[in-house]
Amino acid sequence: MNRNRILEIILGAALVAATTAKHYGWINRAIPEAQIDAYVEVLAKQISTFSKGVIEATKSVLTV
C-alpha cells in the first residue's frame, strides 16, 4: 500500500472489511472462517517440504 492509504487506515482507526483490505493490497486473499484451518494446513505442509536453503534465499530476496 502507498503511504497515503496507510495513513488513512491508521489515522482513520476504522475497521476495514476483508474485501476492501484485499482491494487495497493489504491482504492476499479473504478466506471464509470455516475454510481457514484447511487452507493454513495445506500451506504449512507445502512450505515444510522446502529445504532450509530455499526458504532462506526467498527471505533474503524479499527483505527490504
CSV table of all heavy atoms in Angstrom, one decimal:
chain,number,residue,atom,x,y,z
A,1,MET,N,0.8,-1.2,0.0
A,1,MET,CA,0.0,0.0,0.0
A,1,MET,C,0.9,1.2,0.0
A,1,MET,O,2.0,1.2,0.5
A,1,MET,CB,-0.9,0.0,1.2
A,1,MET,CG,-2.0,-1.0,1.2
A,1,MET,SD,-3.1,-0.9,2.6
A,1,MET,CE,-2.1,-1.3,4.0
A,2,ASN,N,0.4,2.3,-0.5
A,2,ASN,CA,1.1,3.5,-0.5
A,2,ASN,C,1.0,4.3,0.8
A,2,ASN,O,0.1,3.9,1.6
A,2,ASN,CB,0.8,4.4,-1.7
A,2,ASN,CG,-0.6,5.0,-1.7
A,2,ASN,OD1,-1.2,5.2,-0.6
A,2,ASN,ND2,-1.2,5.1,-2.8
A,3,ARG,N,1.8,5.2,1.0
A,3,ARG,CA,1.9,6.0,2.3
A,3,ARG,C,0.5,6.6,2.6
A,3,ARG,O,0.0,6.6,3.7
A,3,ARG,CB,2.9,7.1,2.2
A,3,ARG,CG,3.1,7.9,3.4
A,3,ARG,CD,4.2,8.9,3.2
A,3,ARG,NE,4.5,9.7,4.4
A,3,ARG,CZ,3.8,10.8,4.8
A,3,ARG,NH1,2.9,11.2,4.0
A,3,ARG,NH2,4.1,11.4,5.9
A,4,ASN,N,-0.2,7.2,1.6
A,4,ASN,CA,-1.4,7.8,1.9
A,4,ASN,C,-2.5,6.9,2.3
A,4,ASN,O,-3.3,7.2,3.3
A,4,ASN,CB,-1.9,8.6,0.6
A,4,ASN,CG,-1.0,9.7,0.3
A,4,ASN,OD1,-0.3,10.3,1.1
A,4,ASN,ND2,-1.0,10.1,-1.0
A,5,ARG,N,-2.5,5.7,1.7
A,5,ARG,CA,-3.5,4.7,2.1
A,5,ARG,C,-3.2,4.2,3.5
A,5,ARG,O,-4.1,4.0,4.3
A,5,ARG,CB,-3.5,3.5,1.1
A,5,ARG,CG,-4.5,2.4,1.5
A,5,ARG,CD,-5.9,2.8,1.1
A,5,ARG,NE,-6.0,2.8,-0.3
A,5,ARG,CZ,-7.0,3.4,-1.0
A,5,ARG,NH1,-7.9,4.0,-0.3
A,5,ARG,NH2,-7.1,3.4,-2.3
A,6,ILE,N,-2.0,4.0,3.9
A,6,ILE,CA,-1.6,3.5,5.2
A,6,ILE,C,-2.0,4.6,6.2
A,6,ILE,O,-2.6,4.3,7.3
A,6,ILE,CB,-0.1,3.3,5.3
A,6,ILE,CG1,0.2,2.0,4.4
A,6,ILE,CG2,0.4,3.0,6.7
A,6,ILE,CD1,1.7,1.8,4.1
A,7,LEU,N,-1.7,5.9,5.9
A,7,LEU,CA,-2.1,6.9,6.9
A,7,LEU,C,-3.7,6.9,7.1
A,7,LEU,O,-4.1,7.1,8.2
A,7,LEU,CB,-1.6,8.3,6.4
A,7,LEU,CG,-0.1,8.5,6.5
A,7,LEU,CD1,0.3,9.8,5.8
A,7,LEU,CD2,0.2,8.6,8.0
A,8,GLU,N,-4.4,6.8,6.0
A,8,GLU,CA,-5.8,6.8,6.1
A,8,GLU,C,-6.3,5.6,7.0
A,8,GLU,O,-7.2,5.9,7.8
A,8,GLU,CB,-6.4,6.5,4.7
A,8,GLU,CG,-7.9,6.4,4.6
A,8,GLU,CD,-8.5,6.0,3.3
A,8,GLU,OE1,-7.7,6.1,2.3
A,8,GLU,OE2,-9.6,5.5,3.2
A,9,ILE,N,-5.7,4.5,6.9
A,9,ILE,CA,-6.1,3.3,7.7
A,9,ILE,C,-5.8,3.5,9.1
A,9,ILE,O,-6.6,3.4,10.0
A,9,ILE,CB,-5.5,2.0,7.1
A,9,ILE,CG1,-6.2,1.7,5.8
A,9,ILE,CG2,-5.7,0.9,8.1
A,9,ILE,CD1,-5.5,0.6,5.0
A,10,ILE,N,-4.5,4.0,9.4
A,10,ILE,CA,-4.1,4.1,10.8
A,10,ILE,C,-4.8,5.3,11.4
A,10,ILE,O,-5.3,5.1,12.6
A,10,ILE,CB,-2.5,4.3,10.8
A,10,ILE,CG1,-1.8,3.0,10.4
A,10,ILE,CG2,-2.1,4.7,12.2
A,10,ILE,CD1,-0.3,3.2,10.2
A,11,LEU,N,-4.8,6.4,10.8
A,11,LEU,CA,-5.4,7.6,11.4
A,11,LEU,C,-6.9,7.6,11.5
A,11,LEU,O,-7.5,8.2,12.4
A,11,LEU,CB,-4.9,8.9,10.7
A,11,LEU,CG,-3.4,9.1,10.8
A,11,LEU,CD1,-3.0,10.3,10.0
A,11,LEU,CD2,-2.9,9.2,12.2
A,12,GLY,N,-7.5,6.9,10.5
A,12,GLY,CA,-8.9,6.7,10.5
A,12,GLY,C,-9.4,5.8,11.6
A,12,GLY,O,-10.6,5.9,12.0
A,13,ALA,N,-8.6,4.9,12.0
A,13,ALA,CA,-8.9,3.9,13.0
A,13,ALA,C,-10.2,3.2,12.8
A,13,ALA,O,-10.9,2.9,13.8
A,13,ALA,CB,-8.8,4.6,14.4
A,14,ALA,N,-10.6,3.0,11.6
A,14,ALA,CA,-11.8,2.3,11.3
A,14,ALA,C,-11.6,0.8,11.0
A,14,ALA,O,-10.5,0.5,10.5
A,14,ALA,CB,-12.5,3.0,10.1
A,15,LEU,N,-12.6,0.0,11.2
A,15,LEU,CA,-12.5,-1.4,10.8
A,15,LEU,C,-12.5,-1.4,9.3
A,15,LEU,O,-13.2,-0.7,8.6
A,15,LEU,CB,-13.6,-2.2,11.4
A,15,LEU,CG,-13.6,-2.4,12.9
A,15,LEU,CD1,-14.9,-3.1,13.3
A,15,LEU,CD2,-12.4,-3.1,13.4
A,16,VAL,N,-11.7,-2.3,8.7
A,16,VAL,CA,-11.7,-2.5,7.2
A,16,VAL,C,-12.2,-3.9,6.9
A,16,VAL,O,-11.7,-4.9,7.4
A,16,VAL,CB,-10.2,-2.3,6.7
A,16,VAL,CG1,-10.1,-2.5,5.2
A,16,VAL,CG2,-9.7,-0.9,7.1
A,17,ALA,N,-13.2,-3.9,6.0
A,17,ALA,CA,-13.7,-5.2,5.5
A,17,ALA,C,-12.7,-5.9,4.8
A,17,ALA,O,-11.8,-5.4,4.1
A,17,ALA,CB,-14.9,-4.9,4.6
A,18,ALA,N,-12.8,-7.3,4.8
A,18,ALA,CA,-11.8,-8.1,4.2
A,18,ALA,C,-11.7,-7.8,2.7
A,18,ALA,O,-10.6,-7.8,2.1
A,18,ALA,CB,-12.1,-9.6,4.4
A,19,THR,N,-12.9,-7.6,2.0
A,19,THR,CA,-12.8,-7.3,0.6
A,19,THR,C,-12.1,-6.0,0.3
A,19,THR,O,-11.4,-5.9,-0.7
A,19,THR,CB,-14.3,-7.3,0.0
A,19,THR,OG1,-15.1,-6.4,0.8
A,19,THR,CG2,-14.9,-8.7,0.1
A,20,THR,N,-12.3,-5.0,1.1
A,20,THR,CA,-11.6,-3.7,1.0
A,20,THR,C,-10.1,-3.9,1.2
A,20,THR,O,-9.3,-3.4,0.4
A,20,THR,CB,-12.2,-2.7,1.9
A,20,THR,OG1,-13.6,-2.5,1.7
A,20,THR,CG2,-11.5,-1.4,1.8
A,21,ALA,N,-9.8,-4.7,2.2
A,21,ALA,CA,-8.3,-4.9,2.5
A,21,ALA,C,-7.7,-5.6,1.4
A,21,ALA,O,-6.5,-5.3,1.0
A,21,ALA,CB,-8.2,-5.7,3.8
A,22,LYS,N,-8.4,-6.6,0.7
A,22,LYS,CA,-7.8,-7.3,-0.4
A,22,LYS,C,-7.7,-6.3,-1.6
A,22,LYS,O,-6.6,-6.3,-2.3
A,22,LYS,CB,-8.7,-8.4,-0.8
A,22,LYS,CG,-8.2,-9.2,-2.0
A,22,LYS,CD,-9.1,-10.4,-2.3
A,22,LYS,CE,-8.5,-11.1,-3.6
A,22,LYS,NZ,-9.5,-12.0,-4.1
A,23,HIS,N,-8.6,-5.4,-1.8
A,23,HIS,CA,-8.6,-4.4,-2.9
A,23,HIS,C,-7.4,-3.5,-2.7
A,23,HIS,O,-6.7,-3.1,-3.6
A,23,HIS,CB,-9.9,-3.7,-2.9
A,23,HIS,CG,-9.9,-2.5,-3.9
A,23,HIS,ND1,-10.0,-2.7,-5.3
A,23,HIS,CD2,-9.8,-1.2,-3.8
A,23,HIS,CE1,-9.9,-1.6,-5.9
A,23,HIS,NE2,-9.8,-0.6,-5.0
A,24,TYR,N,-7.1,-3.1,-1.4
A,24,TYR,CA,-6.0,-2.2,-1.1
A,24,TYR,C,-4.7,-2.9,-1.2
A,24,TYR,O,-3.6,-2.3,-1.2
A,24,TYR,CB,-6.1,-1.7,0.4
A,24,TYR,CG,-7.2,-0.7,0.6
A,24,TYR,CD1,-7.5,-0.2,1.9
A,24,TYR,CD2,-8.0,-0.1,-0.4
A,24,TYR,CE1,-8.4,0.7,2.2
A,24,TYR,CE2,-8.9,0.8,-0.2
A,24,TYR,CZ,-9.2,1.2,1.1
A,24,TYR,OH,-10.1,2.2,1.4
A,25,GLY,N,-4.6,-4.2,-1.3
A,25,GLY,CA,-3.4,-5.0,-1.3
A,25,GLY,C,-2.8,-5.2,0.1
A,25,GLY,O,-1.7,-5.6,0.3
A,26,TRP,N,-3.7,-5.0,1.1
A,26,TRP,CA,-3.3,-5.2,2.5
A,26,TRP,C,-3.2,-6.7,2.8
A,26,TRP,O,-2.4,-7.1,3.6
A,26,TRP,CB,-4.3,-4.5,3.4
A,26,TRP,CG,-3.9,-4.3,4.8
A,26,TRP,CD1,-2.8,-4.7,5.4
A,26,TRP,CD2,-4.7,-3.7,5.8
A,26,TRP,NE1,-2.8,-4.4,6.7
A,26,TRP,CE2,-4.0,-3.7,7.0
A,26,TRP,CE3,-6.0,-3.1,5.8
A,26,TRP,CZ2,-4.5,-3.2,8.2
A,26,TRP,CZ3,-6.4,-2.6,6.9
A,26,TRP,CH2,-5.7,-2.6,8.1
A,27,ILE,N,-4.1,-7.5,2.2
A,27,ILE,CA,-4.1,-8.9,2.4
A,27,ILE,C,-4.1,-9.6,1.0
A,27,ILE,O,-4.4,-9.0,0.0
A,27,ILE,CB,-5.3,-9.4,3.2
A,27,ILE,CG1,-6.6,-9.1,2.5
A,27,ILE,CG2,-5.3,-8.9,4.6
A,27,ILE,CD1,-7.9,-9.6,3.1
A,28,ASN,N,-3.6,-10.9,1.0
A,28,ASN,CA,-3.6,-11.6,-0.3
A,28,ASN,C,-4.9,-12.1,-0.7
A,28,ASN,O,-5.3,-12.2,-1.9
A,28,ASN,CB,-2.6,-12.8,-0.2
A,28,ASN,CG,-1.2,-12.4,0.0
A,28,ASN,OD1,-0.8,-11.3,-0.5
A,28,ASN,ND2,-0.4,-13.1,0.7
A,29,ARG,N,-5.7,-12.6,0.3
A,29,ARG,CA,-7.0,-13.2,0.0
A,29,ARG,C,-7.9,-13.1,1.2
A,29,ARG,O,-7.4,-13.0,2.3
A,29,ARG,CB,-6.9,-14.6,-0.5
A,29,ARG,CG,-6.3,-15.6,0.6
A,29,ARG,CD,-6.1,-17.0,0.0
A,29,ARG,NE,-4.8,-17.0,-0.7
A,29,ARG,CZ,-4.6,-17.3,-1.9
A,29,ARG,NH1,-5.6,-17.6,-2.7
A,29,ARG,NH2,-3.4,-17.2,-2.5
A,30,ALA,N,-9.2,-13.2,1.0
A,30,ALA,CA,-10.1,-13.2,2.1
A,30,ALA,C,-10.7,-14.6,2.1
A,30,ALA,O,-11.3,-15.1,1.1
A,30,ALA,CB,-11.2,-12.2,1.9
A,31,ILE,N,-10.5,-15.4,3.1
A,31,ILE,CA,-11.0,-16.8,3.2
A,31,ILE,C,-12.1,-16.9,4.2
A,31,ILE,O,-11.9,-16.4,5.4
A,31,ILE,CB,-9.8,-17.7,3.6
A,31,ILE,CG1,-8.7,-17.6,2.6
A,31,ILE,CG2,-10.3,-19.1,3.7
A,31,ILE,CD1,-7.4,-18.3,2.9
A,32,PRO,N,-13.2,-17.5,3.9
A,32,PRO,CA,-14.3,-17.7,4.9
A,32,PRO,C,-13.7,-18.4,6.1
A,32,PRO,O,-12.9,-19.3,6.0
A,32,PRO,CB,-15.3,-18.5,4.2
A,32,PRO,CG,-15.0,-18.3,2.7
A,32,PRO,CD,-13.6,-18.1,2.6
A,33,GLU,N,-14.2,-18.0,7.3
A,33,GLU,CA,-13.7,-18.6,8.6
A,33,GLU,C,-13.7,-20.1,8.6
A,33,GLU,O,-12.8,-20.7,9.1
A,33,GLU,CB,-14.6,-18.0,9.7
A,33,GLU,CG,-14.1,-18.5,11.1
A,33,GLU,CD,-14.9,-17.9,12.2
A,33,GLU,OE1,-15.8,-17.0,11.9
A,33,GLU,OE2,-14.6,-18.3,13.3
A,34,ALA,N,-14.7,-20.7,8.0
A,34,ALA,CA,-14.9,-22.2,8.0
A,34,ALA,C,-13.8,-22.8,7.2
A,34,ALA,O,-13.5,-24.0,7.3
A,34,ALA,CB,-16.2,-22.6,7.5
A,35,GLN,N,-13.1,-22.1,6.3
A,35,GLN,CA,-12.1,-22.7,5.4
A,35,GLN,C,-10.6,-22.3,5.8
A,35,GLN,O,-9.7,-22.8,5.3
A,35,GLN,CB,-12.3,-22.2,4.0
A,35,GLN,CG,-13.6,-22.6,3.4
A,35,GLN,CD,-13.9,-22.0,2.1
A,35,GLN,OE1,-13.0,-21.5,1.4
A,35,GLN,NE2,-15.1,-22.1,1.6
A,36,ILE,N,-10.5,-21.5,6.9
A,36,ILE,CA,-9.1,-21.0,7.2
A,36,ILE,C,-8.2,-22.2,7.7
A,36,ILE,O,-7.1,-22.3,7.2
A,36,ILE,CB,-9.2,-19.9,8.3
A,36,ILE,CG1,-9.8,-18.7,7.7
A,36,ILE,CG2,-7.8,-19.6,8.9
A,36,ILE,CD1,-10.1,-17.5,8.7
A,37,ASP,N,-8.7,-23.0,8.6
A,37,ASP,CA,-7.8,-24.1,9.1
A,37,ASP,C,-7.3,-25.0,8.0
A,37,ASP,O,-6.1,-25.3,8.0
A,37,ASP,CB,-8.6,-24.9,10.2
A,37,ASP,CG,-8.8,-24.1,11.5
A,37,ASP,OD1,-8.1,-23.1,11.7
A,37,ASP,OD2,-9.6,-24.6,12.3
A,38,ALA,N,-8.2,-25.4,7.1
A,38,ALA,CA,-7.8,-26.3,6.0
A,38,ALA,C,-6.8,-25.6,5.1
A,38,ALA,O,-5.8,-26.2,4.7
A,38,ALA,CB,-9.0,-26.7,5.2
A,39,TYR,N,-7.0,-24.3,4.8
A,39,TYR,CA,-6.1,-23.5,3.9
A,39,TYR,C,-4.7,-23.4,4.6
A,39,TYR,O,-3.7,-23.7,3.9
A,39,TYR,CB,-6.6,-22.1,3.7
A,39,TYR,CG,-5.7,-21.3,2.8
A,39,TYR,CD1,-5.6,-21.4,1.5
A,39,TYR,CD2,-4.8,-20.4,3.5
A,39,TYR,CE1,-4.7,-20.7,0.7
A,39,TYR,CE2,-3.9,-19.7,2.7
A,39,TYR,CZ,-3.8,-19.8,1.3
A,39,TYR,OH,-2.9,-19.1,0.6
A,40,VAL,N,-4.7,-23.1,5.9
A,40,VAL,CA,-3.4,-22.9,6.6
A,40,VAL,C,-2.7,-24.3,6.6
A,40,VAL,O,-1.4,-24.3,6.5
A,40,VAL,CB,-3.6,-22.3,8.0
A,40,VAL,CG1,-2.3,-22.4,8.8
A,40,VAL,CG2,-4.1,-20.9,7.9
A,41,GLU,N,-3.4,-25.3,6.9
A,41,GLU,CA,-2.8,-26.7,6.9
A,41,GLU,C,-2.1,-27.0,5.6
A,41,GLU,O,-0.9,-27.5,5.6
A,41,GLU,CB,-3.8,-27.7,7.3
A,41,GLU,CG,-3.2,-29.1,7.5
A,41,GLU,CD,-4.2,-30.1,8.0
A,41,GLU,OE1,-5.2,-29.7,8.6
A,41,GLU,OE2,-3.9,-31.3,7.9
A,42,VAL,N,-2.8,-26.8,4.5
A,42,VAL,CA,-2.2,-27.1,3.2
A,42,VAL,C,-1.0,-26.3,2.9
A,42,VAL,O,0.1,-26.7,2.5
A,42,VAL,CB,-3.3,-27.0,2.1
A,42,VAL,CG1,-2.6,-27.0,0.7
A,42,VAL,CG2,-4.3,-28.0,2.2
A,43,LEU,N,-1.1,-25.0,3.2
A,43,LEU,CA,0.0,-24.1,3.0
A,43,LEU,C,1.2,-24.4,3.9
A,43,LEU,O,2.4,-24.5,3.4
A,43,LEU,CB,-0.4,-22.6,3.3
A,43,LEU,CG,0.6,-21.5,3.1
A,43,LEU,CD1,1.1,-21.5,1.6
A,43,LEU,CD2,0.0,-20.2,3.5
A,44,ALA,N,1.0,-24.7,5.2
A,44,ALA,CA,2.1,-25.1,6.1
A,44,ALA,C,2.8,-26.4,5.6
A,44,ALA,O,4.0,-26.5,5.7
A,44,ALA,CB,1.6,-25.2,7.5
A,45,LYS,N,2.0,-27.4,5.2
A,45,LYS,CA,2.6,-28.6,4.7
A,45,LYS,C,3.4,-28.4,3.5
A,45,LYS,O,4.5,-28.9,3.3
A,45,LYS,CB,1.5,-29.6,4.4
A,45,LYS,CG,0.9,-30.3,5.6
A,45,LYS,CD,-0.1,-31.3,5.3
A,45,LYS,CE,-0.7,-31.9,6.5
A,45,LYS,NZ,-1.7,-32.9,6.2
A,46,GLN,N,3.0,-27.5,2.6
A,46,GLN,CA,3.7,-27.2,1.4
A,46,GLN,C,5.0,-26.5,1.7
A,46,GLN,O,6.1,-26.9,1.2
A,46,GLN,CB,2.9,-26.3,0.4
A,46,GLN,CG,3.6,-25.9,-0.8
A,46,GLN,CD,2.8,-25.1,-1.8
A,46,GLN,OE1,1.6,-24.9,-1.5
A,46,GLN,NE2,3.4,-24.6,-2.8
A,47,ILE,N,5.0,-25.5,2.6
A,47,ILE,CA,6.2,-24.8,3.0
A,47,ILE,C,7.2,-25.7,3.7
A,47,ILE,O,8.4,-25.6,3.5
A,47,ILE,CB,5.8,-23.6,3.9
A,47,ILE,CG1,5.1,-22.5,3.0
A,47,ILE,CG2,7.1,-23.0,4.5
A,47,ILE,CD1,4.4,-21.4,3.8
A,48,SER,N,6.7,-26.6,4.5
A,48,SER,CA,7.5,-27.6,5.2
A,48,SER,C,8.3,-28.5,4.3
A,48,SER,O,9.3,-29.1,4.8
A,48,SER,CB,6.7,-28.4,6.3
A,48,SER,OG,5.9,-29.3,5.6
A,49,THR,N,7.9,-28.6,3.1
A,49,THR,CA,8.7,-29.5,2.2
A,49,THR,C,9.9,-28.8,1.5
A,49,THR,O,10.7,-29.5,1.0
A,49,THR,CB,7.8,-30.0,1.0
A,49,THR,OG1,7.4,-28.9,0.2
A,49,THR,CG2,6.5,-30.7,1.5
A,50,PHE,N,10.0,-27.5,1.7
A,50,PHE,CA,11.1,-26.8,1.1
A,50,PHE,C,12.3,-27.0,1.9
A,50,PHE,O,12.3,-27.1,3.2
A,50,PHE,CB,10.8,-25.3,1.0
A,50,PHE,CG,9.6,-24.9,0.2
A,50,PHE,CD1,8.9,-23.8,0.5
A,50,PHE,CD2,9.2,-25.7,-0.9
A,50,PHE,CE1,7.8,-23.4,-0.3
A,50,PHE,CE2,8.1,-25.3,-1.6
A,50,PHE,CZ,7.4,-24.2,-1.3
A,51,SER,N,13.5,-27.0,1.3
A,51,SER,CA,14.7,-27.1,2.0
A,51,SER,C,15.0,-25.8,2.7
A,51,SER,O,14.5,-24.7,2.3
A,51,SER,CB,15.9,-27.5,1.1
A,51,SER,OG,16.2,-26.4,0.2
A,52,LYS,N,15.8,-25.8,3.8
A,52,LYS,CA,16.1,-24.6,4.5
A,52,LYS,C,16.7,-23.6,3.6
A,52,LYS,O,16.5,-22.4,3.7
A,52,LYS,CB,17.1,-24.9,5.7
A,52,LYS,CG,17.3,-23.8,6.6
A,52,LYS,CD,18.2,-24.2,7.7
A,52,LYS,CE,18.5,-23.0,8.6
A,52,LYS,NZ,19.4,-23.4,9.8
A,53,GLY,N,17.6,-24.0,2.7
A,53,GLY,CA,18.2,-23.0,1.8
A,53,GLY,C,17.2,-22.3,0.9
A,53,GLY,O,17.4,-21.1,0.6
A,54,VAL,N,16.2,-22.9,0.5
A,54,VAL,CA,15.2,-22.3,-0.4
A,54,VAL,C,14.4,-21.2,0.4
A,54,VAL,O,14.2,-20.1,0.0
A,54,VAL,CB,14.2,-23.3,-0.9
A,54,VAL,CG1,13.0,-22.6,-1.6
A,54,VAL,CG2,14.9,-24.2,-1.9
A,55,ILE,N,14.1,-21.5,1.6
A,55,ILE,CA,13.4,-20.6,2.5
A,55,ILE,C,14.3,-19.4,2.8
A,55,ILE,O,13.8,-18.2,2.7
A,55,ILE,CB,12.9,-21.3,3.8
A,55,ILE,CG1,11.8,-22.3,3.4
A,55,ILE,CG2,12.3,-20.2,4.8
A,55,ILE,CD1,11.4,-23.2,4.5
A,56,GLU,N,15.5,-19.6,3.2
A,56,GLU,CA,16.4,-18.5,3.5
A,56,GLU,C,16.7,-17.6,2.2
A,56,GLU,O,16.7,-16.4,2.3
A,56,GLU,CB,17.8,-19.1,4.0
A,56,GLU,CG,17.7,-19.6,5.4
A,56,GLU,CD,19.0,-20.3,5.9
A,56,GLU,OE1,19.9,-20.3,5.1
A,56,GLU,OE2,19.0,-20.7,7.0
A,57,ALA,N,16.8,-18.2,1.1
A,57,ALA,CA,17.0,-17.5,-0.2
A,57,ALA,C,15.8,-16.6,-0.5
A,57,ALA,O,15.9,-15.4,-0.9
A,57,ALA,CB,17.3,-18.4,-1.3
A,58,THR,N,14.6,-17.2,-0.3
A,58,THR,CA,13.4,-16.4,-0.5
A,58,THR,C,13.3,-15.2,0.4
A,58,THR,O,13.0,-14.1,0.0
A,58,THR,CB,12.2,-17.3,-0.3
A,58,THR,OG1,12.3,-18.4,-1.3
A,58,THR,CG2,10.9,-16.6,-0.6
A,59,LYS,N,13.6,-15.5,1.7
A,59,LYS,CA,13.6,-14.4,2.7
A,59,LYS,C,14.6,-13.3,2.3
A,59,LYS,O,14.3,-12.1,2.4
A,59,LYS,CB,13.9,-14.9,4.1
A,59,LYS,CG,12.7,-15.7,4.7
A,59,LYS,CD,13.1,-16.2,6.1
A,59,LYS,CE,12.0,-16.9,6.8
A,59,LYS,NZ,12.5,-17.4,8.1
A,60,SER,N,15.8,-13.7,1.9
A,60,SER,CA,16.8,-12.6,1.6
A,60,SER,C,16.4,-11.8,0.4
A,60,SER,O,16.7,-10.6,0.3
A,60,SER,CB,18.1,-13.3,1.4
A,60,SER,OG,18.2,-14.0,0.1
A,61,VAL,N,15.7,-12.4,-0.6
A,61,VAL,CA,15.3,-11.7,-1.8
A,61,VAL,C,14.2,-10.7,-1.4
A,61,VAL,O,14.1,-9.6,-2.0
A,61,VAL,CB,14.8,-12.6,-2.9
A,61,VAL,CG1,14.1,-11.9,-4.0
A,61,VAL,CG2,15.9,-13.5,-3.4
A,62,LEU,N,13.3,-11.1,-0.5
A,62,LEU,CA,12.1,-10.3,-0.2
A,62,LEU,C,12.4,-9.3,0.9
A,62,LEU,O,11.6,-8.4,1.2
A,62,LEU,CB,11.0,-11.2,0.2
A,62,LEU,CG,10.5,-12.1,-0.9
A,62,LEU,CD1,9.4,-13.0,-0.4
A,62,LEU,CD2,10.0,-11.3,-2.1
A,63,THR,N,13.5,-9.4,1.6
A,63,THR,CA,13.8,-8.4,2.7
A,63,THR,C,14.2,-7.1,2.1
A,63,THR,O,15.1,-7.0,1.2
A,63,THR,CB,15.0,-9.0,3.6
A,63,THR,OG1,14.6,-10.2,4.1
A,63,THR,CG2,15.2,-8.0,4.7
A,64,VAL,N,13.6,-6.1,2.6
A,64,VAL,CA,13.8,-4.7,2.0
A,64,VAL,C,14.6,-3.9,3.0
A,64,VAL,O,14.4,-4.0,4.2
A,64,VAL,CB,12.5,-4.0,1.7
A,64,VAL,CG1,12.7,-2.6,1.2
A,64,VAL,CG2,11.7,-4.8,0.7
